[in-house]
Amino acid sequence: MILARHAEALLWTGRYLERAESTSRCLNYAADSITHLRSDEARAEGELLVRTLGLQEELEAVGPLESRPQLVAFLLSDTDNPGSVVSAVTAVRENLRRVRDRIPIEMWEEANGLYLRFPFLGHANAAPSNLHEVLLMVRRACQAISGILNEGMRRDEGHAFVVIGRMLERSIFTVGLLEASHADSRGVMDATRMLRLTSSLQAYHRQHGNAPDFDGVVRYLLRAPDLPRSVLACLGRAEESLTGLGSTASALDRPRRKAGLLRARLELGEVTDAMDSAPVPTLAGFMNELAGLAADVQAGIVPPLAMASVRSQYVRPGRAGEGAR
Amino acid sequence: MVDLLPEQGSGLLDRYQPGGAFDEAFDADGAVRGPYRRIVERFRELDIDEVKRLENLVADEFRRQGITFTVYSEEEGTERIWPMDLFPRIIAAAEWDELSRGLSQRVAAMNCFLADLYNGGGQAIADGVVPRWLVVSSQGFERNAVGIRVPHSAHCNIAGIDVVRAADGRYRVLEDNLRSPSGISYVIENRAAMAKACSWLFYDHPVEPTEQYGRMLRSTLESMAPDGRDSPHIVVLTPGIFNSAYFEHAFLARSMGVELVEGRDLVVDDHTVYSRTIEGLVKVDVIYRRIDDDFLDPVAFRPDSTLGVPGLLGALRAGTVTVCNAMGNGVVDDKAVYPYVPELIRYYLGAEPIIDNVTTYTMWDPDQRAEALARLDQLVAKPVGESGGYGVLIGPHATEQELDQARATIEAEPRDWIVQELVHLSTLPSFAEDRLEPRHLDLRPFVLTGERTQVFPGGLTRVAMRRGSLIVNSSQGGGSKDTWVLAPETP
């Protein structure tokens, strides 16, 4: 038995945890390749990164990217940008704080410790000189929290909701990356880059050799059953967790069925077949379905009571049609 | 064989001068008191660099866990790391035994009074033990609580009684906290931090453990279930994450293994309280509330409260749920009622108080007022409705202007003030820069009452961090100490 509010906080802990990690990974990679934003290519790469993360609207509020520090600050420390690393880490901490009576103490300590280690807290728009160190710290802390979740938390409803949140967010990120890559007319986002941004390069090389091709990587990231970051694997885990909850919470039957349906469509090749003729619309459509799934999970958790004030903090930027608004 | 100051060692205790107050660790001749003999030896082995290292270790531990408290200034609240001094307070077994009997006695009498007041027709008032006008004019008196049944007549399930040790070495009760006394989580975290940083200190001391508090509290709350039902559904009701004591609320829920809920997680239907879970509504039997009476039910009390549960009062009246502590306990928290507690002990229990009050002058009595105001420069004036040390005037530290202003205020509103003899709180070595110096302290033990009464061993020792200061409240710059109750020696 879990309070609806706690379930929601844990779901969003999972989502923000994944978001902090994936944004850190993207920014780490981009910071290596984008040494300045003077060239069109570099600017295009910066904009592609923003699109991948679904932050176009937030960037519009800031203005066009004109310098590398501006890009770094926007994605790392801008507290007005709800998609920045610091915003995601803050949200993880705040959500865990709401449920600290039911999570392992170490999980809270790790999240709190990460938040307190940010050297630029209170200094929005700061771009630290030790960027890689900071980003590594974020990724390691996120992985530590995941480790504690897996090894130290009882397999109860709370655990299930963190997993569901992570898997949904990861699916959305991967599909967003593929969508942005297909829409990228300049060819900035090549196959290797997609694999790096999803921490899948080594796994791909072991399985398929050292010469990744674009279409093969797209299929790999969508359908590889044994790759933890593939959309298929993520939907499978989300479905499994929803199935575990379904026995007690009938309102979660609908998202469970939807997760199963999306997984089956990937598994049977329906999505990749459709992409042969219209990749971008197909991926955009799939993204909308994922957003609908997230909305159904949210609706299944929250009983009919006014939680608008809570929900408002959870709006994911730049994702048309996404739930939890 | 006694140790005398000064002593060979690191110099931390060189020049330690206990001063005029009772010192917990050293007697007037500088000899170490029995319970402190070994700890003083251990601290003499330390140098200041090691102390600083240990202090940092403790602070890091508190920071990592987010063990903080909030200081509210006029403009905003500031979150600070919980301050703990490394030199522990030690209470010998026999001394604790007497103290805990005195605390149990006091809480029992106050529970009798609350039960009498809200469910017994007010016999103590009728018999003139406490003036009726004083009770009904108390902000803590809650008319809505009259007639609400309370299991075991235990209105106060969790009490925090502030005690001090005066210059004569005897404990006195300074204040009763029967609404939502806080601080127990800091007691337990202080011990955990001490055990991590200075585990070697415990080797030669049989210290009573503290980790059983969750079990004690849970059993107390379980015994408060309506109609004595088995395996009751217990929740802790918190105002939310922005409350200064949120850490404690989460700590208590975790240590009992129950849900921490906010008002919006609860709903009342047909005079029954339910929690909103993903499985639907689940009936709640016992609510350990950490919000004030005024905010409990916006239908019955403050309509602007978003913290409470609409309809909760109706559920209480129907007897389907128990709220702990009960509504209306604030009447005994009222400092104006405090002077009558010794008489309540005699009235209900037929016994003399084991722990005395601090000598208190009631300002609504013209003779006592005249006497107190004449020598206000030697006394302490306290507003009856404040807590946390706010509004207190310490006569010897006040200017003539402040004293005159206080006299005028008291003359204008005598019901709102009490005046007490100044108690030179006892002192204990505490770290100040590079050595140990005497600092004043008090103690807040916790008493749990349900089907039976249990006194948690030890309590929150609060210490004034500035030399000579008598204000120990953390909100005003005070710190804390780990409190050790020694187990009885086995023959």
Side-chain angles (χ1 to χ4, degrees):
Chain A
M1 181 175 60
I2 184 172
L3 287 174
R5 186 173 53 79
H6 287 180
E8 188 182 44
L10 287 163
L11 176 82
W12 284 97
T13 295
R15 292 198 65 166
Y16 277 116
L17 192 61
E18 186 67 24
R19 197 175 299 179
E21 191 181 342
S22 53
T23 305
S24 300
R25 198 182 322 106
C26 287
L27 185 53
N28 190 57
Y29 188 74
D32 278 345
S33 59
I34 307 172
T35 51
H36 56 78
L37 287 173
R38 283 186 220 119
S39 71
D40 287 348
E41 289 76 17
R43 188 170 291 112
E45 184 163 351
E47 286 166 1
L48 190 63
L49 188 61
V50 169
R51 179 172 178 165
T52 298
L53 294 167
L55 297 170
Q56 300 97 312
E57 286 175 25
E58 281 62 35
L59 183 61
E60 275 173 27
V62 174
L65 289 174
E66 287 174 354
S67 68
R68 181 178 179 274
Q70 186 198 356
L71 173 68
V72 171
F74 175 68
L75 291 178
L76 181 70
S77 55
D78 185 350
T79 47
D80 290 333
N81 170 15
S84 71
V85 173
V86 76
S87 294
V89 167
T90 304
V92 168
R93 179 181 184 259
E94 287 305 299
N95 279 296
L96 284 179
R97 199 172 174 205
R98 289 172 196 276
V99 292
R100 64 180 288 181
D101 58 306
R102 64 174 304 136
I103 56 169
I105 292 172
E106 296 83 0
M107 199 167 162
W108 158 254
E109 286 182 3
E110 195 62 44
N112 187 46
L114 172 62
Y115 174 80
L116 295 174
R117 283 201 299 274
F118 271 116
F120 42 79
L121 273 176
H123 302 280
N125 302 323
S129 55
N130 58 341
L131 178 64
H132 287 292
E133 209 177 302
V134 169
L135 294 172
L136 183 64
M137 173 185 82
V138 173
R139 291 204 309 284
R140 291 239 166 107
C142 290
Q143 287 158 2
I145 293 169
S146 297
I148 297 164
L149 171 78
N150 289 328
E151 300 302 322
M153 192 166 175
R154 196 163 71 87
R155 295 296 189 268
D156 61 2
E157 301 100 323
H159 181 273
F161 279 109
V162 185
V163 171
I164 293 166
R166 287 208 82 170
M167 294 304 111
L168 284 175
E169 186 71 22
R170 194 178 289 179
S171 305
I172 288 169
F173 170 77
T174 304
V175 174
L177 172 68
L178 299 180
E179 186 190 351
S181 304
H182 271 96
D184 166 32
S185 57
R186 299 174 194 235
V188 169
M189 191 65 79
D190 59 21
T192 302
R193 194 162 294 193
M194 283 194 290
L195 289 169
R196 280 191 191 281
L197 290 180
T198 50
S199 281
S200 308
L201 184 61
Q202 194 181 358
Y204 184 88
H205 280 167
R206 279 184 167 275
Q207 220 169 339
H208 299 285
N210 288 333
D213 71 281
F214 190 88
D215 288 340
V217 166
V218 169
R219 280 171 167 69
Y220 184 66
L221 292 178
L222 279 173
R223 293 185 57 195
D226 51 359
L227 179 71
R229 292 186 179 278
S230 80
V231 180
L232 178 68
C234 292
L235 284 172
R237 284 191 67 194
E239 183 190 1
E240 188 182 302
S241 295
L242 284 163
T243 302
L245 293 167
S247 60
T248 52
S250 56
L252 291 167
D253 277 348
R254 181 183 158 92
R256 179 184 58 76
R257 286 199 302 274
K258 187 173 262 183
L261 189 65
L262 293 177
R263 177 190 52 74
R265 285 175 54 197
L266 276 173
E267 211 162 22
L268 297 171
E270 190 185 305
V271 177
T272 40
D273 286 352
M275 283 177 64
D276 288 343
S277 54
V280 174
T282 301
L283 286 167
F286 200 76
M287 176 66 92
N288 278 338
E289 303 236 39
L290 285 173
L293 171 60
D296 285 349
V297 172
Q298 181 80 19
I301 292 174
V302 184
L305 75 163
M307 294 193 80
S309 60
V310 179
R311 287 180 183 177
S312 62
Q313 68 169 310
Y314 295 133
V315 175
R316 181 184 164 97
R319 287 280 179 221
E322 186 181 359
R325 284 181 182 272
Chain B
M1 185 76 178
V2 294
D3 290 330
L4 294 172
L5 287 170
E7 179 63 55
Q8 294 289 322
S10 61
L12 291 174
L13 280 160
D14 287 355
R15 291 176 285 162
Y16 185 84
Q17 295 294 332
F22 181 93
D23 193 88
E24 302 278 344
F26 296 96
D27 68 18
D29 300 324
V32 183
R33 296 186 195 276
Y36 285 91
R37 193 163 299 147
R38 290 179 188 134
I39 208 84
V40 166
E41 283 171 19
R42 296 289 169 269
F43 274 87
R44 279 182 176 143
E45 291 162 7
L46 292 179
D47 61 37
I48 191 62
D49 291 339
E50 178 63 2
V51 170
K52 295 289 176 200
R53 188 185 72 79
L54 295 171
E55 284 179 339
N56 288 336
L57 211 61
V58 169
D60 285 348
E61 176 72 12
F62 286 161
R63 189 177 295 111
R64 195 171 64 248
Q65 289 194 42
I67 300 175
T68 58
F69 69 102
T70 307
V71 177
Y72 295 103
S73 65
E74 282 179 7
E75 292 89 19
E76 58 187 63
T78 309
E79 212 168 299
R80 291 191 186 156
I81 297 294
W82 177 248
M84 187 192 78
D85 186 84
L86 288 176
F87 194 99
R89 179 194 206 137
I90 303 177
I91 303 174
E95 187 177 300
W96 176 252
D97 182 58
E98 185 183 358
L99 189 57
S100 60
R101 282 190 297 111
L103 294 166
S104 296
Q105 179 195 54
R106 189 172 181 97
V107 172
M110 290 189 288
N111 263 321
C112 287
F113 177 60
L114 289 165
D116 179 13
L117 183 62
Y118 292 118
N119 280 302
Q123 286 303 310
I125 291 174
D127 290 340
V129 181
V130 186
R132 180 183 300 278
W133 69 268
L134 193 70
V135 170
V136 298
S137 66
S138 170
Q139 287 184 1
F141 176 64
E142 183 49 68
R143 284 172 179 77
N144 283 301
V146 174
I148 292 178
R149 292 188 302 277
V150 175
H152 315 296
S153 295
H155 287 249
C156 180
N157 312 106
I158 300 97
I161 310 295
D162 293 346
V163 294
V164 296
R165 195 177 339 224
D168 61 5
R170 293 191 61 81
Y171 286 104
R172 304 275 197 289
V173 173
L174 192 63
E175 209 169 290
D176 301 297
N177 300 281
L178 273 64
R179 286 175 293 177
S180 295
S182 62
I184 187 66
S185 60
Y186 299 119
V187 174
I188 296 162
E189 292 297 349
N190 277 357
R191 174 63 55 81
M194 279 292 280
K196 278 182 190 167
C198 313
S199 56
W200 41 273
L201 280 178
F202 292 84
Y203 294 163
D204 42 16
H205 291 86
V207 181
E208 293 280 7
T210 57
E211 68 268 20
Q212 75 278 27
Y213 184 77
R215 288 195 301 277
M216 288 172 67
L217 180 59
R218 183 167 182 146
S219 69
T220 298
L221 297 176
E222 280 176 345
S223 74
M224 294 300 293
D227 307 322
R229 68 188 60 137
D230 290 334
S231 305
H233 181 196
I234 301 168
V235 297
V236 177
L237 176 60
T238 173
I241 62 170
F242 299 110
N243 184 268
S244 62
Y246 178 76
F247 160 74
E248 174 153 307
H249 306 161
F251 176 93
L252 292 171
R254 181 216 299 278
S255 57
M256 284 192 288
V258 305
E259 295 284 2
L260 180 63
V261 303
E262 296 179 16
R264 57 187 167 155
D265 295 319
L266 302 178
V267 62
V268 175
D269 185 35
D270 194 20
H271 302 304
T272 305
V273 181
Y274 297 94
S275 64
R276 303 175 201 257
T277 77
I278 63 164
E279 300 164 33
L281 300 180
V282 176
K283 185 175 181 302
V284 173
D285 300 309
V286 180
I287 300 173
Y288 177 25
R289 53 77 175 250
R290 294 298 297 258
I291 64 178
D292 291 340
D293 286 359
D294 283 353
F295 295 91
L296 269 178
D297 180 349
V299 176
F301 307 111
R302 287 181 55 154
D304 59 336
S305 168
T306 56
L307 306 176
V309 188
L312 180 59
L313 182 64
L316 278 168
R317 288 199 178 287
T320 59
V321 69
T322 306
V323 165
C324 303
N325 289 329
M327 279 196 311
N329 283 7
V331 68
V332 185
D333 262 20
D334 190 328
K335 292 184 180 67
V337 175
Y338 158 91
Y340 298 91
V341 175
E343 200 50 41
L344 290 174
I345 292 173
R346 294 183 190 100
Y347 179 75
Y348 288 113
L349 307 180
E352 282 302 305
I354 297 172
I355 314 173
D356 288 331
N357 274 9
V358 172
T359 304
T360 303
Y361 302 96
T362 51
M363 292 300 93
W364 46 95
D365 179 315
D367 295 339
Q368 292 191 36
R369 183 166 72 240
E371 182 189 344
L373 294 189
R375 45 189 287 265
L376 193 59
D377 59 335
Q378 302 159 33
L379 305 174
V380 178
K382 290 181 176 177
V384 298
E386 294 282 350
S387 60
Y390 291 103
V392 172
L393 176 112
I394 298 175
H397 299 173
T399 63
E400 274 305 321
Q401 191 184 359
E402 286 168 334
L403 289 167
D404 287 343
Q405 194 177 349
R407 286 187 186 102
T409 309
I410 292 169
E411 289 281 12
E413 299 290 347
R415 166 65 177 83
D416 295 345
W417 292 84
I418 57 169
V419 173
Q420 295 180 315
E421 291 289 343
L422 178 66
V423 179
H424 285 281
L425 311 185
S426 61
T427 57
L428 189 62
S430 305
F431 283 97
E433 298 297 327
D434 58 351
R435 61 175 174 274
L436 286 158
E437 289 184 356
R439 292 289 184 268
H440 295 289
L441 41 80
D442 77 352
L443 177 67
R444 174 178 289 182
F446 292 87
V447 183
L448 304 183
T449 308
E451 196 171 12
R452 63 195 181 99
T453 296
Q454 306 173 80
V455 183
F456 179 73
L460 179 63
T461 292
R462 300 181 299 179
V463 56
M465 301 300 266
R466 284 180 288 117
R467 182 198 296 266
S469 171
L470 295 170
I471 303 291
V472 297
N473 307 75
S474 54
S475 55
Q476 297 201 43
S480 69
K481 284 174 175 288
D482 189 15
T483 308
W484 296 4
V485 171
L486 300 184
E489 297 284 345
T490 48

